Amino acid sequence: MKKFLVYLPLILFIWGCEKSETYPGGTISPYISIYDIRNLYKSKPVTLSKENMLGSTSIAAMVVSDHSGGNLPAGLLIVQDARRLSKLRGIAIQLGDVANSYVPGDSVLIDVQGAVLEKTDGMLELTGVSLTKMRKISSGNTIPVNRVTTAAILANPGDFESTLAVIVKGGFDPLPAKGDVLKGDKVLNDGFGNLLLRTADTSAFANITAPVSANFYGIVFIGADNTPVFRMRTAADVTVLSSEISIAPVLITGFMSDASGADGNYEYVQMMATRDIDFAATPFALVVTNNANASTPTGYPSRGWATGEKRSYKFNLYAGKAAKGTFFYVGGIGKKINGSKSTDISSANWVRTFDYTTKGGDGFGTATTGLMANSGNAFGMAVFQDTLVTVDSKPVDVMWVSTGGSLYTAGPPAKGYRIANTDFYDIINPITLEEQPFYRQGSNTLALSYNTADLGIFNMLGGVYNVSLGKWVQARAQNNKQLSTTSVITDIEGDGATTLK
């Protein structure tokens, strides 16, 4: 379990105390942020001075490097701070063997006058720091968890260089074979991109079994080709989340929540099968919940997705088939791509449709002219591998739009809408490892956004799902598709749509 940190107090200016009718002037803080230090480098070595540091002389930072695991470049002390605009930045300091005597959580003051800021093999480093000008202020300070996606690191490697980060729900592609260990270079994927994880053959944890899913804590280094490399420090930097693969049989890949014109019977949900499915043999259910203020019963959903009335509406999927990797649809009897005056798409694979404007749902849900809200409070969709849906039923996939309304209360008893382990949600908090089975509980706060009403925008949820890994290797994104009355089925199943790997 990782700890949290409050950084050293920010020292700004020391003002005079004597009363005066004129501004008495001030003294510049002796401490410069690492953010400002890094910005001094302009493609060639810079010798730091009081003048180019605008009156400052030192840095006050937190050590994040740990050489006890034998996996960090020798001789480098890695420190970080967030003194400027709360922007976390780090720097590597070349100290030789002395770097081994510092451990994460050491608070240090370093006079950097006369040190040289330069790049060595792609890394921005401080060299020539005098050991007599370094002072350890305290030890055992906790360090804040800095959750970062691989995509963010890849997009701006310099912003994360020499900082401690955690890659959440990381795994390897391809899946590790039995007996595979961490040593060497491996491709780490968290659903947002691929980052190189480097574990030295001689490190103390090189022979740890490569996990299926884990949180990876480590420091971002930059190679000579400006490619970021992620290095863990010790065996404690791996928090295994799962050793099993769970494959979602059905994925929510898009939906039409607000067709051009009246919505009744023209709303639909697009899904994809990750295996061949015969719904007669393996029935499923799709539930849509609308939490507008007028939806009854009001208050927190005591029966979750099975609350019924105007809060949730169920479609049983018990006939038809869907081949692996193909789209299928559930919704109103209109079967039009964008409202009553648009292209007929009845030739698509519609697993279940009926007139929800005059008929109640399968088991719960009253007739409605709008399954999905168009603004305001949240609405959601969940797929269940059974037609019997109760308060305790666990979905195989979930997607939410917006965040408002009575969605979750800790109680007791707890009430809310259960989620699945997806690219958006986690039944176990990946950082604290606490249970959080409901939407809006813990870290389960992600949601799609509402689109401008009545424009006929199809919410395309484009991503890449790896069936062999049982995870999204490219998380779903809200790729809004503006449709017209003449749009065709390939407009919502083509470029930008979800694919399987």
Side-chain angles (χ1 to χ4, degrees):
M1 187 71 64
K2 300 299 185 277
K3 299 179 180 178
F4 295 86
L5 156 76
V6 176
Y7 275 105
L8 290 173
L10 180 63
I11 303 172
L12 296 175
F13 294 90
I14 302 174
W15 298 95
C17 297
E18 294 183 1
K19 293 183 179 180
S20 174
E21 295 182 359
T22 60
Y23 171 63
T27 303
I28 297 295
S29 167
Y31 304 110
I32 186 172
S33 71
I34 293 176
Y35 176 93
D36 291 324
I37 288 281
R38 293 184 65 89
N39 284 336
L40 291 175
Y41 183 80
K42 307 296 182 185
S43 75
K44 61 181 181 180
V46 178
T47 300
L48 300 182
S49 65
K50 193 171 184 177
E51 287 71 28
N52 59 24
M53 290 188 290
L54 302 179
S56 298
T57 59
S58 307
I59 59 175
M62 193 67 63
V63 174
V64 293
S65 54
D66 187 338
H67 287 273
S68 65
N71 197 47
L72 301 184
L76 289 184
L77 178 71
I78 311 296
V79 299
Q80 65 182 34
D81 72 23
R83 297 176 64 84
R84 168 70 78 175
L85 304 174
S86 297
K87 292 181 179 291
L88 183 67
R89 293 294 187 270
I91 194 75
I93 304 174
Q94 184 58 251
L95 291 183
D97 291 342
V98 175
N100 299 341
S101 62
Y102 290 90
V103 296
D106 286 347
S107 174
V108 293
L109 296 180
I110 306 172
D111 187 332
V112 293
Q113 293 180 95
V116 178
L117 183 66
E118 59 184 328
K119 280 202 172 182
T120 304
D121 296 327
M123 281 285 292
L124 191 60
E125 299 178 3
L126 280 176
T127 60
V129 172
S130 172
L131 298 180
T132 61
K133 295 182 178 181
M134 291 185 60
R135 185 158 56 102
K136 184 190 297 184
I137 301 302
S138 62
S139 299
N141 299 286
T142 53
I143 302 173
V145 176
N146 184 32
R147 180 175 178 175
V148 180
T149 66
T150 56
I153 295 173
L154 293 167
N156 297 289
D159 289 353
F160 298 95
E161 178 184 1
S162 297
T163 64
L164 179 65
V166 54
I167 305 299
V168 173
K169 294 193 295 184
F172 303 111
D173 189 5
L175 189 69
K178 184 177 181 180
D180 280 355
V181 294
L182 287 174
K183 71 179 177 182
D185 287 352
K186 287 184 167 52
V187 176
L188 181 62
N189 180 281
D190 63 344
F192 298 93
N194 293 323
L195 183 66
L196 189 65
L197 177 73
R198 178 162 293 164
T199 306
D201 291 355
T202 56
S203 71
F205 51 93
N207 292 314
I208 288 179
T209 301
V212 170
S213 178
N215 294 339
F216 294 86
Y217 293 78
I219 297 174
V220 179
F221 291 84
I222 307 295
D225 58 355
N226 203 40
T227 300
V229 176
F230 200 64
R231 288 177 178 261
M232 294 182 293
R233 302 161 300 172
T234 68
D237 281 342
V238 185
T239 303
V240 176
L241 300 177
S242 175
S243 57
E244 298 180 357
I245 297 174
S246 178
I247 303 169
V250 172
L251 309 172
I252 298 170
T253 57
F255 55 94
M256 172 58 78
S257 58
D258 192 5
S260 179
D263 293 342
N265 280 323
Y266 296 102
E267 296 163 294
Y268 56 88
V269 178
Q270 179 197 71
M271 288 169 276
M272 177 179 281
T274 65
R275 67 185 189 216
D276 292 342
I277 299 176
D278 180 348
F279 291 99
T282 309
F284 285 73
L286 171 71
V287 179
V288 179
T289 178
N290 187 330
N291 295 273
N293 287 329
S295 296
T296 55
T298 59
Y300 296 105
S302 59
R303 290 178 290 167
W305 291 98
T307 295
E309 296 186 32
K310 293 183 179 180
R311 288 293 289 275
S312 60
Y313 193 100
K314 179 161 69 82
F315 294 83
N316 286 343
L317 315 182
Y318 53 79
K321 298 180 179 180
K324 178 181 178 179
T326 64
F327 296 104
F328 64 93
Y329 297 84
V330 174
I333 58 174
K335 297 183 181 180
K336 298 290 185 71
I337 198 167
N338 181 25
S340 63
K341 299 179 181 179
S342 67
T343 304
D344 184 293
I345 56 171
S346 58
S347 60
N349 186 12
W350 291 86
V351 169
R352 185 77 196 282
T353 63
F354 56 79
D355 185 352
Y356 59 75
T357 67
T358 62
K359 297 179 180 179
D362 292 318
F364 55 80
T366 56
T368 178
T369 57
L371 285 172
M372 309 175 197
N374 294 328
S375 64
N377 289 343
F379 77 85
M381 297 151 278
V383 184
F384 297 85
Q385 194 170 327
D386 198 341
T387 55
L388 177 63
V389 176
T390 70
V391 65
D392 297 318
S393 296
K394 299 176 181 179
V396 298
D397 197 16
V398 173
M399 187 58 69
W400 281 91
V401 176
S402 196
T403 61
S406 298
L407 304 175
Y408 166 72
T409 177
K415 299 176 184 178
Y417 297 97
R418 293 187 181 276
I419 49 87
N421 286 322
T422 73
D423 47 346
F424 275 49
Y425 309 114
D426 301 288
I427 294 174
I428 302 294
N429 187 305
I431 297 295
T432 67
L433 303 183
E434 296 174 335
E435 292 187 0
Q436 49 175 40
F438 299 105
Y439 177 55
R440 304 302 299 167
Q441 182 184 15
S443 65
N444 292 322
T445 58
L446 292 179
L448 305 176
S449 301
Y450 277 109
N451 294 311
T452 303
D454 207 37
L455 293 183
I457 295 175
F458 179 75
N459 294 267
M460 178 181 283
L461 306 181
V464 179
Y465 188 82
N466 189 311
V467 178
S468 63
L469 299 180
K471 67 176 290 184
W472 292 90
V473 292
Q474 179 181 317
R476 283 172 286 191
Q478 189 174 9
N479 301 327
N480 296 325
K481 287 281 186 174
Q482 175 73 66
L483 302 183
S484 68
T485 56
T486 59
S487 296
V488 294
I489 194 69
T490 52
D491 290 329
I492 62 175
E493 294 186 352
D495 292 343
T498 287
T499 59
L500 297 186
K501 181 178 179 181

